[in-house]
Amino acid sequence: MADRTLDRVRFLTFDIFGTVMDLTGSLAGPAGDFLAANGSDLSGQAFYAEWRERQRIEQYQDNLMMLGHSGYLETCRRALVYCLKKHGVSYTAEGVREFMQVYMDLQPYGDAIDGLRTLGARYKLVALSNGEQWYLEKLLANNVPVEFDAIISVDQVGAFKPSPGIYRKAAQRLKCEPGEIMMVAAHSFDILGAQACGFKGAYVNRYNLPIEDSEYQPDIIVEDFFQLAERLLP
């Protein structure tokens, strides 16, 4: 059943990595192959979980140090190298560069594709992502068979989410009030940042994780895009 308190919402802005794109499903297997080729018996699944957590630290450090925006793919590479060093895995810089091409092959969650198509009948669909602009445009065009009305990268403000500038830039780009936008993400920090800037928030809790202990709480909590469509559409 549709939630009538959200009638002002006209735009849905989507986190891409981990919300639309299945990072674990796309990267854990190749990571395991890379580790094995470099003499490690670590599982790709366990390694990827550490790598993903480290990448978020790399992004936060990038924001805090304010030495210039490094870009999403660079923070992914730095996090990978950090985790390889942590576990004593031998590697070469060239090998890492070649492996990083796996990011061009990320695949979406099936429910995300179906949900985006359904939601697009009522809402404007916007990618609002930490990825580089060129990378988002190429990845979505090649791997996500859904047309977005706009693709907005944090490149435009030079800081990763949840820095407030990217949410404000989205409202400016879309020429609307913040309350007309709902942020959709599988990471509660993204919802927190968006709501602090006046957005509505839909938390797609794919990973069964708690939300932040904050005065800002998601307007909607669902398990997948199927449930999201049920909540938003009449």
Side-chain angles (χ1 to χ4, degrees):
M1 181 179 295
D3 189 335
R4 297 275 70 88
T5 66
L6 303 175
D7 283 347
R8 287 192 66 210
V9 173
R10 298 191 295 123
F11 299 90
L12 300 179
T13 54
F14 293 89
D15 168 70
I16 298 301
F17 302 111
T19 301
V20 173
M21 309 306 287
D22 180 4
L23 295 183
T24 302
S26 299
L27 295 173
D33 294 340
F34 180 83
L35 292 167
N38 285 276
S40 173
D41 60 1
L42 286 168
S43 77
Q45 195 84 11
F47 182 84
Y48 178 69
E50 288 191 32
W51 176 16
R52 176 66 169 159
E53 289 301 317
R54 179 64 197 183
Q55 192 229 332
R56 191 153 299 142
I57 293 173
E58 293 288 343
Q59 291 179 345
Y60 289 156
Q61 288 182 165
D62 203 78
N63 279 2
L64 290 169
M65 292 173 70
M66 295 189 291
L67 295 176
H69 183 62
S70 299
Y72 176 78
L73 292 172
E74 173 59 13
T75 61
C76 293
R77 186 200 67 80
R78 289 178 186 169
L80 171 62
V81 168
Y82 178 94
C83 292
L84 292 173
K85 289 179 178 178
K86 176 183 176 182
H87 290 284
V89 180
S90 298
Y91 68 92
T92 66
E94 180 60 27
V96 167
R97 280 195 295 272
E98 291 179 0
F99 174 73
M100 286 296 295
Q101 292 302 308
V102 73
Y103 274 89
M104 304 310 298
D105 297 322
L106 300 181
Q107 296 302 311
Y109 286 102
D111 67 276
I113 299 305
D114 290 342
L116 286 167
R117 287 173 173 157
T118 301
L119 291 164
R122 174 174 176 179
Y123 298 97
K124 297 290 186 181
L125 308 180
V126 179
L128 184 61
S129 172
N130 279 332
E132 294 87 342
Q133 188 72 34
W134 70 267
Y135 173 46
L136 290 170
E137 291 175 358
K138 185 172 183 179
L139 182 69
L140 296 177
N142 291 342
N143 296 11
V144 179
V146 175
E147 185 173 353
F148 286 86
D149 295 283
I151 298 173
I152 303 174
S153 165
V154 299
D155 284 354
Q156 297 186 29
V157 297
F160 292 109
K161 295 183 292 182
S163 180
I166 185 59
Y167 306 106
R168 294 169 182 164
K169 173 59 73 172
Q172 181 187 58
R173 277 280 311 275
L174 299 174
K175 298 180 180 178
C176 67
E177 296 295 324
E180 296 177 280
I181 306 173
M182 170 171 275
M183 185 73 214
V184 180
H187 317 296
S188 60
F189 73 84
D190 204 346
I191 302 302
L192 175 66
Q195 287 185 304
C197 292
F199 287 29
K200 296 296 186 180
Y203 180 33
V204 182
N205 191 6
R206 293 193 181 281
Y207 312 111
N208 193 29
L209 295 173
I211 58 178
E212 261 71 19
D213 183 8
S214 167
E215 64 202 74
Y216 296 106
Q217 297 296 303
D219 297 282
I220 292 175
I221 300 177
V222 295
E223 294 179 0
D224 55 33
F225 277 52
F226 296 130
Q227 290 186 5
L228 179 65
E230 289 176 0
R231 291 290 300 275
L232 291 179
L233 297 177

